[in-house]
Amino acid sequence: IDSTIPLKSRSLWNKNQVKKFNNAEAFQSRFIDHVETTLARSLYNCDNLAAYEAASMSVRDNLIIDWNRTQQKFTTRDPKRVYYLSLEFLMGRALDNALINMNVDDNDEVSVNKDSDPREKTTNSREMISSALDELGFKLEDVLEQEPDAGLGNGGLGRLAACFVDSMATENIPAWGYGLRYQYGIFAQKIIDGYQVETPDYWLNFGNAWEIERNEVQIPITFYGYVERNNTSKDGEKSTLTPSQWIGGERVIAVAYDFPVPGYKTTNVNNLRLWQARPTTEFDFAKFNSGDYQNSVQQQQRAESITACLYPNDNFEQGKELRLKQQYFWCSASLHDIVRRFKKSKRPWTEFPDEVAIQLNDTHPTLAIVELQRILVDLEKLDWHEAWKIVTATFAYTNHTVMQEALEKWPIGLFGHLLPRHLEIIYDINWFFLQDVAKKFPKDVDLLSRISIIEENDSERQIRMAYLAIVGSHKVNGVAELHSELIKKTIFHDFVKFYGASKFTNVTNGITPRRWLRQANPKLSELISQTLNDPNYDYLLDMPKLTMLNKFIDDKTFHTKWNDVKIHNKLRLADLIKKLNDGVDIIDREHISTTLFDVQVKRIHEYKRQQLNVFGIIYRYLAMKTMIHNGASIEEVAKVFPRRVSIFGGKSAPGYYMAKLIIKLINSVGDVVNNDVEIGDLLKVVFIPDYNVSKAEIIIPASDLSEHISTAGTEASGTSNMKFAMNGGLIIGTVDGANVEITREIGEDNIFLFGNLAENVEDLRYNHQYNPQELPENLEKVLAYIERGDFTENPAEFKPIVDAVKQHGDYYLISDDFDSYIATQELVDQVFHNEKDEWIKKSILSVANIGFFSSDRCIQEYAETIWNVEPVEQ
Ligand code: 475
């Protein structure tokens, strides 16, 4: 049906076109409109929450106008589009970010004041809204605080996707994100008696101003059922290669929810489309007629559970059927949407890869490869090989981890039950692939079983999703140089042998400076703007410009300003910690500038080694106590162990026993240390509950030192390391992930590296297995102290943490890195407390040389080397 408006009516439409607000008054009028009509409230009944909602809807109105224009422009110009498929988008809050990115200067003839400098207005939209709200009786800070985080992700992988959509919009890349609209995001973490307790995060409680429900976009999705084979094939050889028909069992509907993603200093607004499951409106009449009405309704409601909940695991795959269902639901809906859009262009199928690039964020969307092949062969009746050429030219795959327990594998039985036709297609993909391998390496029988997409050596056969993703893609990338080299040498070694090295590439991760500098650290971004003489914050689009800060490296007044910003941010964090601690101050504000804030915030995982950090704290505490017991004064102790606050934050997967125990250990150590009057305020240990994006925005700018201390070779990249450095925090870290490139960029004098190298890890582990090691003396003391049970009422409680090092092979090499860690921490103390100028210089140099890690650079690399897309000029 044609839904366009007839020509004769269009002038009327055009005359009444909606206009963006571009000044405070227009915003206020829009705001009051929303308060009085959309919210049905009044000036007698408008609290901060209502103000947040009205402000969001007003700002959203502006975004939608640009968003509609952007999408119309894409439709007319029909450029190649990028689709970023990610099961997680860890977006955090939207309003503040929209205020920073929003372009209030459009080309709206009606609303632009021709005399003023448009860029001036653009950069000040946040201030404009702030003062507009002030006049209406609200404080922007309080209004912003009302917004719940969109916590639709676990950690690094999900936050990376959020930074990427920001940069793709900013870089004017015609790109869409596709994901799931979970009703429950990552759980909220409470700490009760030192233990993590999970509570559901129903983030949609008060509705969500940032999404548009697209009831008109409904896509039916099928599960289960059976395959009807079409045996009339001409060549008659392999019947599954001819179009087969999948007769589905369960059917649900995917409904689209669209989130506008504004770019910075551009009117480009991209789309993030999240799918939600709904029951079909069809009713099971058989059940209904047999009187089983209740059951029939219940069956229908089962549909909604598909998108109810985010799986709360980081770097771990559980292999649950519902997870596979989520994956197929999302891949199928997204692919049908993409194909439908392509078909509108009326181009031949061979041009599909010229119009569409699909990036797979880890293996979670690998089914999209199979689904496209199914659409082309079964539904569009293309020849298998012709279809496969299109598929492999379309997809590219990003690997985020080498950890065995995170690599996705699906048992054949479970998979074939849910997706019978897809299993056949995977067998066929594998069949042709193995034939090619055998042709190239005819004598290597072992290779075939090693490289096969189907793993046969287990009791049950499994599909190796990473292998399927490699075979179905034209490019595979790792996320930092070390990691990209490592995957070629280890988990994907055989594929390099078969395809050659050129299929494998590196794109080092990045972060968006709009959120992680401008939004998280207004004071520092303002100081930079003044120092670079860049009043419009253009540097946020061109981060390598920050090298201009190098000129001020010895400027004492600049040092003072720099340090004042840090103190301001540390006080801001002290306020947050006080608030979370029921109003009791833990941090000594008077000495805040001489207290080193040592931060480790990230998911709790043995490979990330929060336990190494705690052992270091216990070592420090015991050494302080020994000094005191030997008669040293507190001043003498302070000379050796100056003031420090160790701050932790992070969630553990609900089923990860060791990680939960590590949280408990941190809290137990905190209880003892924080209440020990002998050591006074020299050492404090704080665990900040419910670490999330909005807390990160307060915590990161306040850090003097942050810990990125994973066992070498285990952290693919890390991205918070970049965030800390961008905010002038120094890093203590291992030679792992992006730490390596950060060191190269900012200089090795400006980072505290320690520990064994990735190349030695295998040998060290082997040694532990066969020569039970002597522990370093200091570590021995720490472990013995934990075992004595002084930290807890139950002395055996932390035994598993001790035993992991002493009895079970110390897989994460705590004993090998402990002494080097302690020595490096001593160096940190030395520089922070005795060479403060040096410290500040290192801090400035970190920021000045961090430009490479803007996600804008990262997206440009993807665009040029993987997607082959260009920005669409405004
Ligand atoms: C890496 N998540 C970081 C970051 O590239 C890296 C895996 C399976 C199931 C559920 N979640 C996952 C990850 O693998 C993950 O978050 N990986 C992280 O990706 C972005 O910076 O080093 O650990």
Side-chain angles (χ1 to χ4, degrees):
I1 320 153
D2 188 7
S3 51
T4 52
I5 301 301
L7 278 173
K8 63 176 168 44
S9 307
R10 289 196 195 166
S11 61
L12 186 60
W13 278 73
N14 288 332
K15 203 177 88 193
N16 289 294
Q17 227 175 32
V18 206
K19 289 171 196 82
K20 283 160 61 177
F21 67 77
N22 66 350
N23 57 50
E25 280 143 60
F27 164 76
Q28 287 164 337
S29 141
R30 184 76 49 95
F31 176 93
I32 291 170
D33 258 9
H34 278 300
V35 170
E36 298 195 343
T37 61
T38 320
L39 300 175
R41 302 243 203 159
S42 72
L43 74 168
Y44 301 109
N45 179 21
C46 188
D47 53 10
N48 277 329
L49 180 61
Y52 157 71
E53 289 179 331
S56 298
M57 285 185 288
S58 309
V59 170
R60 186 192 71 174
D61 288 347
N62 264 21
L63 295 190
I64 290 180
I65 292 167
D66 281 341
W67 180 48
N68 282 334
R69 280 189 199 152
T70 305
Q71 300 312 320
Q72 270 161 28
K73 187 178 62 198
F74 291 165
T75 307
T76 1
R77 296 204 205 163
D78 206 24
K80 181 170 183 180
R81 290 173 174 85
V82 176
Y83 297 104
Y84 195 81
L85 268 58
S86 179
L87 256 194
E88 306 187 6
F89 288 91
L90 190 44
M91 302 295 284
R93 290 174 174 160
L95 178 54
D96 202 10
N97 188 245
L99 294 182
I100 287 166
N101 282 17
M102 179 176 60
N103 210 315
V104 283
D105 162 59
D106 58 359
N107 296 319
D108 230 326
E109 307 78 13
V110 202
S111 53
V112 163
N113 172 359
K114 293 258 163 28
D115 300 333
S116 66
D117 176 358
R119 287 206 317 197
E120 190 82 346
K121 282 201 287 180
T122 307
T123 48
N124 289 330
S125 70
R126 192 172 184 273
E127 277 162 47
M128 177 185 95
I129 303 287
S130 175
S131 61
L133 282 173
D134 202 62
E135 288 173 10
L136 290 166
F138 293 97
K139 277 184 64 184
L140 178 63
E141 281 65 41
D142 300 337
V143 171
L144 296 176
E145 273 298 304
Q146 299 299 312
E147 182 172 359
D149 273 38
L152 308 184
N154 277 285
L157 172 148
R159 183 54 232 178
L160 187 76
C163 284
F164 279 9
V165 289
D166 180 275
S167 280
M168 290 190 294
T170 299
E171 294 291 310
N172 298 314
I173 306 271
W176 282 39
Y178 274 111
L180 289 182
R181 182 180 184 264
Y182 304 105
Q183 264 143 316
Y184 294 88
I186 186 69
F187 61 85
Q189 179 195 55
K190 293 211 165 86
I191 300 295
I192 297 179
D193 298 331
Y195 296 99
Q196 166 174 302
V197 175
E198 301 94 26
T199 62
D201 160 49
Y202 189 68
W203 68 296
L204 299 165
N205 226 342
F206 298 100
N208 179 7
W210 299 102
E211 64 186 9
I212 310 292
E213 186 178 338
R214 292 268 186 220
N215 278 311
E216 72 278 20
V217 184
Q218 300 205 359
I219 298 179
I221 310 291
T222 308
F223 302 105
Y224 307 105
Y226 58 95
V227 178
E228 209 153 75
R229 196 141 299 149
N230 185 349
N231 277 322
T232 59
S233 90
K234 277 168 270 143
D235 46 29
E237 269 200 330
K238 270 191 106 300
S239 59
T240 59
L241 292 187
T242 62
S244 291
Q245 217 193 344
W246 177 23
I247 311 295
E250 196 175 296
R251 259 158 65 96
V252 300
I253 300 292
V255 184
Y257 286 74
D258 286 347
F259 295 69
V261 181
Y264 181 66
K265 288 188 186 252
T266 168
T267 50
N268 194 55
V269 177
N270 281 350
N271 194 24
L272 172 59
R273 176 160 284 182
L274 304 184
W275 301 105
Q276 180 159 67
R278 263 204 219 151
T280 54
T281 42
E282 301 160 10
F283 215 70
D284 187 337
F285 283 103
K287 275 204 181 114
F288 182 62
N289 286 331
S290 66
D292 202 357
Y293 176 74
Q294 290 284 328
N295 207 350
S296 179
V297 173
Q298 261 165 29
Q299 281 288 310
Q300 293 276 307
Q301 287 183 339
R302 228 166 77 91
E304 270 149 20
S305 71
I306 296 175
T307 50
C309 201
L310 164 79
Y311 275 88
N313 303 313
D314 187 82
N315 273 287
F316 183 76
E317 275 298 340
Q318 245 175 322
K320 291 270 190 262
E321 190 196 40
L322 183 58
R323 169 85 167 181
L324 189 61
K325 235 171 152 175
Q326 288 187 335
Q327 293 183 350
Y328 180 64
F329 171 84
W330 155 59
C331 289
S332 180
S334 307
L335 251 292
H336 284 262
D337 209 35
I338 293 167
V339 164
R340 183 179 55 183
R341 199 166 301 124
F342 171 77
K343 278 180 152 185
K344 279 203 235 159
S345 75
K346 303 265 192 307
R347 294 170 190 254
W349 282 111
T350 48
E351 287 179 19
F352 191 80
D354 306 327
E355 284 291 286
V356 174
I358 303 179
Q359 190 66 34
L360 306 176
N361 198 22
D362 215 292
T363 55
H364 316 151
T366 305
L367 278 170
I369 291 173
V370 190
E371 180 71 348
L372 182 57
Q373 181 71 2
R374 187 183 73 86
I375 293 172
L376 296 179
V377 172
D378 290 2
L379 308 182
E380 302 292 336
K381 316 291 183 203
L382 265 69
D383 162 75
W384 174 276
H385 300 284
E386 203 187 322
W388 188 241
K389 241 170 89 180
I390 294 169
V391 170
T392 51
T394 301
F395 287 95
Y397 153 55
T398 306
N399 172 278
H400 294 269
T401 180
V402 291
M403 308 267 285
Q404 278 306 320
E405 64 268 33
L407 297 179
E408 260 189 296
K409 289 177 187 172
W410 292 104
I412 296 289
L414 183 155
F415 191 100
H417 177 59
L418 186 71
L419 301 166
R421 176 60 184 144
H422 294 78
L423 181 58
E424 288 185 349
I425 293 175
I426 291 172
Y427 281 143
D428 289 339
I429 292 170
N430 198 35
W431 163 265
F432 287 115
F433 170 61
L434 291 181
Q435 275 189 337
D436 290 346
V437 176
K439 247 180 257 162
K440 194 160 178 182
F441 301 99
K443 298 197 191 88
D444 200 340
V445 197
D446 281 356
L447 175 64
L448 287 186
S449 73
R450 281 206 313 271
I451 210 170
S452 172
I453 294 170
I454 311 293
E455 184 175 278
E456 308 259 4
N457 50 17
D458 234 12
S459 55
E460 193 180 10
R461 293 189 299 160
Q462 311 217 50
I463 308 169
R464 298 156 159 164
M465 298 306 268
Y467 290 12
L468 179 55
I470 296 172
V471 175
S473 297
H474 65 282
K475 272 268 155 44
V476 177
N477 77 285
V479 290
E481 273 177 22
L482 179 76
H483 167 68
S484 298
E485 286 307 310
L486 216 55
I487 57 178
K488 286 195 280 182
K489 285 191 210 129
T490 61
I491 51 176
F492 302 149
H493 178 79
D494 289 325
F495 289 90
V496 176
K497 187 171 160 184
F498 175 67
Y499 286 114
S502 65
K503 180 162 179 165
F504 295 84
T505 182
N506 170 251
V507 184
T508 299
N509 282 166
I511 56 168
T512 170
R514 272 73 67 182
R515 183 176 294 263
W516 295 112
L517 183 54
R518 181 76 176 95
Q519 184 179 321
N521 201 340
K523 285 270 188 280
L524 186 64
S525 55
E526 192 188 348
L527 176 60
I528 294 171
S529 143
Q530 287 166 357
T531 312
L532 300 189
N533 198 8
D534 179 2
N536 297 319
Y537 293 79
D538 287 330
Y539 69 89
L540 295 171
L541 286 177
D542 185 10
M543 291 289 282
K545 259 199 193 142
L546 292 182
T547 48
M548 282 159 68
L549 292 172
N550 282 323
K551 275 195 298 205
F552 301 87
I553 200 69
D554 291 314
D555 180 332
K556 288 287 170 274
T557 47
F558 186 64
H559 278 209
T560 310
K561 286 184 192 166
W562 192 266
N563 198 38
D564 286 348
V565 169
K566 187 56 84 181
I567 293 169
H568 168 90
N569 289 330
K570 286 164 83 169
L571 286 166
R572 193 172 65 150
L573 176 56
D575 288 343
L576 174 69
I577 290 172
K578 182 175 173 187
K579 197 173 105 192
L580 294 171
N581 195 38
D582 300 320
V584 182
D585 242 336
I586 305 179
I587 291 164
D588 175 1
R589 279 152 206 273
E590 256 178 58
H591 296 99
I592 207 149
S593 76
T594 53
T595 304
L596 184 139
F597 277 31
D598 173 355
V599 182
Q600 189 175 19
V601 284
K602 51 185 82 227
R603 287 297 288 249
I604 312 292
H605 215 298
E606 286 164 284
Y607 88 80
K608 295 178 189 281
R609 298 203 295 191
Q610 281 92 355
Q611 70 277 38
L612 174 59
N613 188 343
V614 196
F615 294 165
I617 292 168
I618 297 172
Y619 163 79
R620 190 183 182 93
Y621 174 66
L622 294 180
M624 291 165 87
K625 294 290 276 185
T626 308
M627 282 186 77
I628 290 167
H629 292 164
N630 290 339
S633 69
I634 196 86
E635 290 75 23
E636 284 164 326
V637 178
K639 282 217 179 81
V640 188
F641 298 109
R643 286 177 187 282
R644 197 185 265 247
V645 184
S646 284
I647 296 162
F648 291 87
K651 293 173 186 176
S652 156
Y656 189 173
Y657 174 76
M658 282 295 260
K660 288 185 140 176
L661 200 54
I662 292 170
I663 292 178
K664 175 61 169 47
L665 178 61
I666 295 167
N667 285 307
S668 296
V669 171
D671 272 350
V672 171
V673 170
N674 298 350
N675 295 308
D676 189 322
V677 287
E678 281 188 351
I679 64 163
D681 281 340
L682 290 185
L683 181 60
K684 296 285 173 190
V685 180
V686 178
F687 190 97
I688 298 179
D690 201 35
Y691 179 62
N692 59 15
V693 173
S694 53
K695 292 217 173 78
E697 290 165 17
I698 306 290
I699 297 168
I700 291 170
S703 111
D704 294 304
L705 181 76
S706 66
E707 310 230 3
H708 308 273
I709 59 178
S710 49
T711 311
T714 62
E715 189 71 278
S717 160
T719 43
S720 77
N721 41 7
M722 304 164 190
K723 294 168 195 164
F724 281 101
M726 196 177 279
N727 284 279
L730 303 194
I731 288 172
I732 182 166
T734 43
V735 185
D736 200 17
N739 289 354
V740 177
E741 288 141 284
I742 293 176
T743 307
R744 187 187 307 152
E745 293 292 312
I746 70 176
E748 60 183 352
D749 292 342
N750 303 311
I751 185 166
F752 297 96
L753 294 179
F754 73 95
N756 284 280
L757 303 182
E759 60 202 60
N760 301 321
V761 166
E762 206 183 328
D763 288 349
L764 291 167
R765 278 183 182 155
Y766 183 88
N767 280 340
H768 292 196
Q769 295 279 309
Y770 296 98
N771 320 305
Q773 75 271 37
E774 286 253 307
L775 295 182
E777 196 186 323
N778 285 327
L779 180 61
E780 188 82 70
K781 279 189 202 153
V782 167
L783 296 183
Y785 193 79
I786 296 172
E787 282 195 297
R788 258 174 51 180
D790 290 10
F791 290 123
T792 158
E793 273 135 49
N794 168 11
E797 183 169 24
F798 301 120
K799 196 166 185 306
I801 294 177
V802 174
D803 284 354
V805 178
K806 281 173 78 164
Q807 313 284 334
H808 303 139
D810 189 16
Y811 189 75
Y812 297 102
L813 308 187
I814 302 286
S815 57
D816 303 280
D817 286 347
F818 189 74
D819 282 344
S820 149
Y821 177 66
I822 295 297
T824 308
Q825 284 288 18
E826 276 167 20
L827 185 62
V828 167
D829 280 329
Q830 163 68 20
V831 182
F832 185 81
H833 291 279
N834 303 336
E835 301 162 45
K836 198 57 186 275
D837 274 349
E838 282 304 306
W839 186 277
I840 293 172
K841 270 192 204 172
K842 292 178 198 296
S843 166
I844 297 168
L845 286 171
S846 295
V847 178
N849 297 294
I850 206 68
F852 178 77
F853 300 97
S854 165
S855 44
D856 296 349
R857 181 272 313 157
C858 185
I859 286 303
Q860 284 164 12
E861 281 184 25
Y862 277 99
E864 281 163 28
T865 66
I866 298 180
W867 302 333
N868 192 25
V869 296
E870 295 199 338
V872 171
E873 286 317 323
Q874 292 302 291

